[in-house]
Amino acid sequence: MSATETPAPIDVKTFWRTLGERATGMTVVTASGDEGPAGFLGLSAAHVTADPPTMLVSVDAKTSALGPILASRHFAVNFLPASAGHVADAFSGKAGLSGAARFVEGEWGTLATGAPVLNDALGVFDCVVDQVVERGSISIIIGTVMGAKAAGTGEPLLFFRGKTIAGLAAPAA
């Protein structure tokens, strides 16, 4: 390939298979909307910078929580503990719940913005929306952290190779 040629991007199947090799903490991203609380199971929450404290989440355009996040201009990122598989199922759609009904799982409170925060989360970042970047079918939402809470103990709920893993134990081969 010459220096002026650009390689073709990989296919979607290869992308997801390769991304699955990265263990990631499972999060529930929430907001309070006009019709009650909204949220979804997120695997792509990340920090942007510590000064100012900033987080980002990627939200698919089909996700019902996107509208409430954009309308309320806030969101919370809740890092799930190993014991919260039932919460992950509720927010992933596996439990057949939608909208505010998802919040029957777990105990919820608030920090700074009014976005719902899981009381027993390993950590929570409560953010106000600063910027929204559209990329394909995804909205990348960048927010300044207005509140935070860290449990300091507990094991994470992880996603690895398409499976949910409670704690830091490696999955069976």
Side-chain angles (χ1 to χ4, degrees):
M1 179 177 309
S2 74
T4 59
E5 291 180 283
T6 302
I10 62 170
D11 62 277
V12 172
K13 186 176 180 178
T14 300
F15 176 80
W16 284 116
R17 187 179 64 245
T18 304
L19 193 59
E21 294 298 319
R22 175 193 65 148
T24 188
M26 297 179 81
T27 67
V28 169
V29 178
T30 59
S32 58
D34 290 339
E35 297 176 21
F40 67 97
L41 182 68
L43 300 175
S44 60
H47 74 284
V48 177
T49 180
D51 188 14
T54 308
M55 293 291 293
L56 71 77
V57 293
S58 297
V59 187
D60 191 288
K62 294 181 233 161
T63 301
S64 62
L66 179 59
I69 291 169
L70 296 176
S72 68
R73 304 299 293 171
H74 66 243
F75 63 93
V77 180
N78 299 270
F79 299 115
L80 297 182
S83 62
H86 61 293
V87 174
D89 288 346
F91 283 87
S92 72
K94 287 182 183 177
L97 300 172
S98 62
R102 292 176 169 170
F103 290 86
V104 299
E105 296 295 342
E107 294 183 23
W108 299 87
T110 60
L111 289 179
T113 69
V117 299
L118 184 63
N119 292 342
D120 67 346
L122 292 180
V124 176
F125 288 115
D126 190 12
C127 307
V128 294
V129 174
D130 288 328
Q131 184 179 10
V132 179
V133 178
E134 303 295 331
R135 175 71 178 191
S137 64
I138 300 295
S139 292
I140 301 164
I141 302 174
I142 301 169
T144 298
V145 178
M146 307 306 287
K149 178 180 85 166
T153 63
E155 296 288 322
L157 189 63
L158 301 173
F159 190 74
F160 182 64
R161 293 184 179 155
K163 296 183 175 116
T164 300
I165 303 164
L168 297 174

